[in-house]
Amino acid sequence: QSALTQPASVSGSPGQSITISCTGTSSDVGGYNYVSWYQQHPGKAPKLMIYDVSDRPSGVSDRFSGSKSGNTASLTISGLLAEDEADYYCCSYTSSSTRVFGTGTKVTVL
Amino acid sequence: QVQLVESGGGVVQPGRSLRLSCAASGFTFSRTGMHWVRQAPGKGLEWVAVISYDGSDKYYADSVKGRFTISRDNSKNTLYLQMNSLRAEDTAVYYCAKDRSVPIIDHWGQGTLVTVSS
């Protein structure tokens, strides 16, 4: 049950696009389309931003998009805003019926 | 709207036990898989356990297997986490969370802090 691998930090200027990667194995990310992404501001509970690899819940900005290729999923934030500055985590269903989170990525808006 | 309210956190000595509760409302609890997820101070999210809608299936992270037990009471719309043989490394904010109709966590509670210290 090793954590999925994410970059520790990603930064961008307002209006730019950034992409966060999430690398697992064929037993989790690569094996299922049950990949989700969460945004967490300091002291707050996580918020679902993307589910089923690329779907957005109602109310989430279309500036957030997700994709997957092989064992790696990605979250792209376009038109970066100051409010996007937060920690982001990926999560995947696994072949053991458990879940595994990514190591987390701190997004900084310059 | 969905509400998940955790309770039962606090300070406990190593080796002792603690039981967390999560009161759920705003959705059909008896038809929904439920999770516990924790976050140590300044660290990332760690999935802890999941229980199926009827309690028949339960799965755990290796780090808590044999020490923690997830359970539910559908008549009370409440989720539980019994934590035994607590260790310092179990210190974290514990979140209750629910599944969508597929195995994706979609809503979270605000969390309850558990501190294991002598």
Side-chain angles (χ1 to χ4, degrees):
Chain A
Q1 291 185 345
S2 298
L4 307 175
T5 301
Q6 297 180 230
S9 62
V10 173
S11 62
S13 299
Q16 286 187 330
S17 293
I18 61 169
T19 296
I20 303 168
S21 61
C22 168
T23 301
T25 70
S26 58
S27 295
D28 39 64
V29 174
Y32 306 91
N33 284 330
Y34 299 133
V35 176
S36 50
W37 289 89
Y38 303 90
Q39 176 191 66
Q40 187 181 35
H41 287 108
K44 300 295 187 181
K47 174 187 176 183
L48 178 66
M49 304 302 285
I50 295 288
Y51 66 96
D52 293 357
V53 174
S54 59
D55 290 341
R56 273 187 313 276
S58 173
V60 172
S61 171
D62 60 5
R63 298 184 299 104
F64 291 84
S65 62
S67 63
K68 188 182 85 167
S69 178
N71 296 338
T72 298
S74 299
L75 173 71
T76 297
I77 309 174
S78 58
L80 205 58
L81 299 174
E83 66 203 51
D84 300 332
E85 187 161 293
D87 294 325
Y88 291 83
Y89 296 90
C90 59
C91 181
S92 176
Y93 178 79
T94 81
S95 58
S96 303
S97 299
T98 61
R99 311 293 187 270
V100 59
F101 282 95
T103 49
T105 298
K106 181 176 180 58
V107 168
T108 301
V109 180
L110 301 171
Chain B
Q1 73 278 21
V2 172
Q3 280 203 321
L4 299 168
V5 180
E6 303 94 337
S7 60
V11 180
V12 60
Q13 293 180 328
R16 303 297 289 262
S17 299
L18 201 63
R19 189 178 83 156
L20 305 183
S21 300
C22 171
S25 61
F27 64 100
T28 308
F29 181 76
S30 61
R31 296 183 184 176
T32 306
M34 298 294 296
H35 300 259
W36 288 100
V37 179
R38 68 184 181 183
Q39 186 169 34
K43 303 297 184 181
L45 299 172
E46 180 187 15
W47 178 82
V48 173
V50 63
I51 186 169
S52 60
Y53 70 98
D54 61 356
S56 61
D57 294 314
K58 305 174 186 181
Y59 299 94
Y60 299 91
D62 288 344
S63 58
V64 306
K65 200 174 295 183
R67 298 189 301 124
F68 289 12
T69 301
I70 189 171
S71 63
R72 63 192 299 158
D73 186 337
N74 285 346
S75 69
K76 296 181 179 179
N77 282 4
T78 302
L79 176 72
Y80 303 101
L81 185 67
Q82 178 68 43
M83 304 185 294
N84 298 332
S85 304
L86 282 161
R87 307 166 179 167
E89 54 265 36
D90 296 319
T91 294
V93 173
Y94 284 74
Y95 293 101
C96 163
K98 65 174 282 293
D99 264 345
R100 291 173 62 87
S101 54
V102 292
I104 292 281
I105 295 172
D106 66 350
H107 284 89
W108 304 65
Q110 287 304 303
T112 186
L113 177 61
V114 173
T115 302
V116 183
S117 173
S118 54

